[in-house]
Amino acid sequence: MSPTAPSFDEWLTYCFEQGHADATAGFPEDDREKELYLQRRERFLHFDKEVVSDYVERLFLKPGDLVERYPDGTLAEGIRFLFGTSSGILWDALDELAVKEPRHIAVMRSLGSFYTGFLDRVCNGRGDSPDRDMVGDAPVDAAVHGIWEMGCIEVPLLAPERYPNVAVPCLEMLEHALRSCRTATCKGSILLALGHAQVLHGPEVQMIIDRYLKRSSEPDHLVRMAHQARVGHVQPIGS
């Protein structure tokens, strides 16, 4: 039986205030600290996966005051924890055995709102330099750029045998977010996702990117990235 779920607010606070530290500090040597560590991991990361899925969708749709509550460094750590394998939160939220398929689609669709309502407000100096390539300069931009390479959120898009009905709504979400976001980091993150998807969804990805490239005011570095993504040439972060 899964442990009783924490409240949404308790879970969210753990993700952005303690999760990254637990994931990176290593297993405590002190017996009391070890006990507390295991209790936190059990309570916040091992409860019913349907509830996890609901919490992720709720966060994506309504991130609340996270932008105002936390500095960029804390947000970067929270994003890496939320999307990464150290927490497995997205694995649980998208588990094809424990979570029903309509929930997978709902979570992936809600990611578009997370891009426009949260990530786009945080990136590029909180919008002060929207066209600048800041992935190598700011930890929060690096985290957002790489969410599709953290081993979790990309799985439904790249495993159609496990998620046969997720690709179309996911690609629709990505195109809408690409059209709606202001910041270069968010748009680059979406282009990275499309570049990965191109191997399985080439014609659809090419049409999305062709429509994007019709814009006349996109920065040169995004135009280059779009051309690369269109043919599936995805560059590793920092290259």
Side-chain angles (χ1 to χ4, degrees):
M1 175 180 287
S2 298
T4 301
S7 72
F8 173 78
D9 288 337
E10 290 171 333
W11 172 81
L12 186 61
T13 298
Y14 176 78
C15 288
F16 280 88
E17 294 186 11
Q18 186 64 43
H20 179 79
D22 281 349
T24 57
F27 202 66
E29 295 184 2
D30 178 78
D31 288 343
R32 178 56 179 162
E33 288 300 317
K34 185 185 303 181
E35 180 183 359
L36 292 173
Y37 166 85
L38 292 173
Q39 287 176 354
R40 288 194 301 270
R41 299 284 291 187
E42 182 71 10
R43 183 177 184 217
F44 293 107
L45 297 179
H46 296 100
F47 56 94
D48 186 272
K49 293 179 181 181
E50 288 274 3
V51 180
V52 177
S53 183
D54 178 69
Y55 281 5
V56 170
E57 183 188 11
R58 181 175 170 183
L59 169 60
F60 284 177
L61 290 173
K62 295 183 178 180
D65 65 347
L66 289 178
V67 175
E68 293 77 22
R69 193 191 314 178
Y70 297 121
D72 288 1
T74 301
L75 293 175
E77 292 176 353
I79 291 165
R80 289 190 180 280
F81 182 72
L82 180 67
F83 284 89
T85 57
S86 64
S87 73
I89 288 171
L90 271 299
W91 277 343
D92 288 349
L94 297 165
D95 188 309
E96 72 269 28
L97 298 179
V99 180
K100 296 178 181 178
E101 185 179 61
R103 298 288 317 137
H104 306 153
I105 295 172
V107 168
M108 298 304 284
R109 285 192 184 278
S110 69
L111 179 56
S113 295
F114 199 58
Y115 264 114
T116 58
F118 173 62
L119 301 177
D120 202 43
R121 297 174 57 203
V122 173
C123 291
N124 290 84
R126 302 202 170 207
D128 287 344
S129 302
D131 292 337
R132 182 181 163 196
D133 182 358
M134 295 184 64
V135 172
D137 300 327
V140 71
D141 290 78
V144 172
H145 182 78
I147 62 174
W148 293 89
E149 295 190 326
M150 293 184 185
C152 295
I153 195 68
E154 68 270 27
V155 173
L157 188 59
L158 301 179
E161 70 283 359
R162 293 165 58 188
Y163 301 90
N165 299 308
V166 173
V168 170
C170 185
L171 290 170
E172 290 173 350
M173 174 276 293
L174 289 169
E175 180 168 21
H176 181 266
L178 183 62
R179 185 169 60 246
S180 302
C181 285
R182 291 181 59 249
T183 61
T185 295
C186 281
K187 287 185 277 192
S189 171
I190 295 162
L191 289 169
L192 189 64
L194 292 170
H196 283 301
Q198 197 274 348
V199 66
L200 291 177
H201 311 286
E204 295 89 346
V205 167
Q206 289 173 2
M207 286 190 292
I208 291 170
I209 292 179
D210 286 345
R211 288 191 286 267
Y212 168 73
L213 287 171
K214 289 181 180 179
R215 299 182 183 187
S216 60
S217 59
E218 292 300 271
D220 290 344
H221 65 95
L222 287 180
V223 173
R224 289 194 299 272
M225 189 173 187
H227 282 292
Q228 292 169 348
R230 189 182 185 279
V231 293
H233 292 171
V234 178
Q235 296 294 321
I237 295 171
S239 64

